[in-house]
Amino acid sequence: MQNSLKFHPSRREACLGLGAALAAAACAAPESLLANGPEPAPKGWSMGDPLPFPVQEIYPCLHDGAIHLAGGFIAEAGRITGPTAAHHVWRPDGRCWQPAPALPAARHHPHLISFAGRLFVIGGFESPSAEAIWQAQSTGWILDEASGNWQAAPELPARSAEAVLLVGGTGLMHFMGGRSPAGESNASWQDQTDQTHHFVLDATDGRWREAAPCPTARNSASGAVIDGRLHIVGGRSVAGGNTAVHEVYDPAEDRWRDAAPMPQAQGGLAAAELGGKLYAFGGEFFNDGGGVYPEAWVYDPATDSWAAIAPMPHPRHGLGAVTLDGAIHVIGGALKVGGNETSEIVEIYRG
């Protein structure tokens, strides 16, 4: 694993605590991670191959038939140590998670996406020193898979992280919401502010342009594409806390509309599409001492309604969700609020 630095943050303004990481598992039997509890996995859930190390604040993606995970906050000996540049790939070939070309720099919250047949990494935060852990980035990279080298991606119009990145419309990548520096300072968590950014990258000319701004300024939301429309759900704002807001963007009209809100306000969650429906998992809250949501939900666009599904076997936040072969892989994250108990767990939901 590659790190830009190692540090032991005491708090992330109530959003990042000390980690108490689970021991890294190298392709242990998936069921072994459930051995500590007397109850079997809830209906529809099973264990996947664990990650090579505990990690949270990640945005994995599906690319060329494989799940790609790069960057994030990692933990060692029970404590968050900083961001990583490590890049791993999981394919359904029985070989577990395999190392892939590391990022040019360690980042947490980097957004991964498969776009125009190539793997992109966009934005996120770098941590060049213990005094500058939250340095938002506008740059990104594209993987040249033939050489294994990363090339520069088109630069975002603003330094941004904690956004939602989706592909929707013909040859368009959408970067929505998130947090950017409020002024010239760009080092600490307090320097960043919630945004309604909506930047669109066109594959034909490789340039970003602006589209209809997000109606709600928020970070740590998630989303997916259903029938060509982009759904953004949950998340939070610094001023207002967690939100249940659900908004849908139509690329053909460059227009947003409201949809049924989530049954519960959840920030730091993950979401994915499966079978034409939107699934949402986990998240965290900070009131009443803080905690992590076990609840998981499914949204049916045909009825504009949500329903509960079986809760996550291991509630987590700062996690990722990727659909592959008719199942949703729910990846990494932390078992407790903030950085506490950063995990290597992968769970699979099949409905």
Side-chain angles (χ1 to χ4, degrees), residues 275-293:
K277 297 180 180 180
L278 177 67
Y279 290 79
F281 307 93
E284 65 184 336
F285 59 92
F286 303 108
N287 57 304
D288 300 324
V292 179
Y293 294 109

Side-chain angles (χ1 to χ4, degrees), residues 78 83-84 88 149-150 200 209 212 216 226 231 235 237 243 247 249 260 307 327:
T84 182
H88 285 78
N149 296 322
W150 292 92
V200 178
R209 60 177 175 81
T216 301
I226 302 175
H231 292 248
S237 66
T243 181
E247 294 163 343
Y249 176 76

Side-chain angles (χ1 to χ4, degrees), residues 178-226:
R179 306 182 74 222
S180 296
E184 293 300 316
S185 298
N186 181 26
S188 72
W189 192 81
Q190 299 99 319
D191 293 336
Q192 316 298 329
T193 188
D194 300 307
Q195 302 288 343
T196 59
H197 292 322
H198 184 182
F199 304 129
V200 178
L201 181 66
D202 193 325
T204 60
D205 61 15
R207 296 182 180 180
W208 292 97
R209 60 177 175 81
E210 293 192 14
C214 300
T216 301
R218 52 180 154 172
N219 69 83
S220 303
S222 194
V225 179
I226 302 175

Side-chain angles (χ1 to χ4, degrees), residues 32-346:
S32 68
L33 290 175
L34 287 175
N36 292 332
E39 299 296 328
K43 181 181 178 181
W45 288 97
S46 62
M47 299 305 298
D49 293 330
L51 299 168
F53 47 82
V55 64
Q56 65 161 302
E57 311 305 354
I58 52 175
Y59 295 83
C61 77
L62 181 68
H63 173 68
D64 194 24
I67 298 174
H68 288 252
L69 169 66
F73 271 134
I74 59 172
E76 295 178 6
R79 307 188 76 181
I80 288 290
T81 58
T84 182
H87 171 203
H88 285 78
V89 176
W90 187 89
R91 294 181 175 85
D93 58 7
R95 299 180 60 221
C96 303
W97 291 88
Q98 297 294 312
L103 301 179
R107 287 188 182 180
H108 54 99
H109 297 83
H111 308 87
L112 275 65
I113 196 164
S114 182
F115 178 60
R118 307 180 76 184
L119 179 65
F120 283 67
V121 177
I122 303 293
F125 295 106
E126 291 187 7
S127 304
S129 71
E131 292 72 38
I133 297 172
W134 300 88
Q135 192 176 85
Q137 303 297 308
S138 60
T139 57
W141 308 290
I142 305 169
L143 180 62
D144 182 340
E145 297 185 56
S147 67
N149 296 322
W150 292 92
Q151 304 170 345
E155 190 167 347
L156 284 166
R159 296 168 292 182
S160 301
E162 297 183 272
V164 178
L165 188 62
L166 299 172
V167 173
T170 305
L172 300 176
M173 179 198 299
H174 298 255
F175 188 98
M176 298 165 288
R179 306 182 74 222
S180 296
E184 293 300 316
S185 298
N186 181 26
S188 72
W189 192 81
Q190 299 99 319
D191 293 336
Q192 316 298 329
T193 188
D194 300 307
Q195 302 288 343
T196 59
H197 292 322
H198 184 182
F199 304 129
V200 178
L201 181 66
D202 193 325
T204 60
D205 61 15
R207 296 182 180 180
W208 292 97
R209 60 177 175 81
E210 293 192 14
C214 300
T216 301
R218 52 180 154 172
N219 69 83
S220 303
S222 194
V225 179
I226 302 175
D227 294 330
R229 296 177 177 87
L230 283 59
H231 292 248
I232 298 182
V233 296
R236 58 184 172 231
S237 66
V238 174
N242 284 346
T243 181
V245 168
H246 175 191
E247 294 163 343
V248 182
Y249 176 76
D250 187 336
E253 299 180 356
D254 189 29
R255 181 178 298 180
W256 291 90
R257 67 172 179 85
D258 292 330
M262 292 183 65
Q264 181 169 259
Q266 296 179 201
L269 74 169
E273 180 273 342
L274 178 64
K277 297 180 180 180
L278 177 67
Y279 290 79
F281 307 93
E284 65 184 336
F285 59 92
F286 303 108
N287 57 304
D288 300 324
V292 179
Y293 294 109
E295 289 88 354
W297 311 95
V298 58
Y299 170 78
D300 186 347
T303 59
D304 189 30
S305 62
W306 291 86
I309 61 173
M312 300 170 64
H314 295 84
R316 306 187 307 283
H317 75 92
L319 68 171
V322 178
T323 301
L324 174 60
D325 291 342
I328 302 175
H329 297 245
V330 183
I331 301 165
L335 292 157
K336 292 186 178 179
V337 67
N340 296 299
E341 294 194 20
T342 302
S343 171
E344 83 283 11
I345 290 174
V346 175

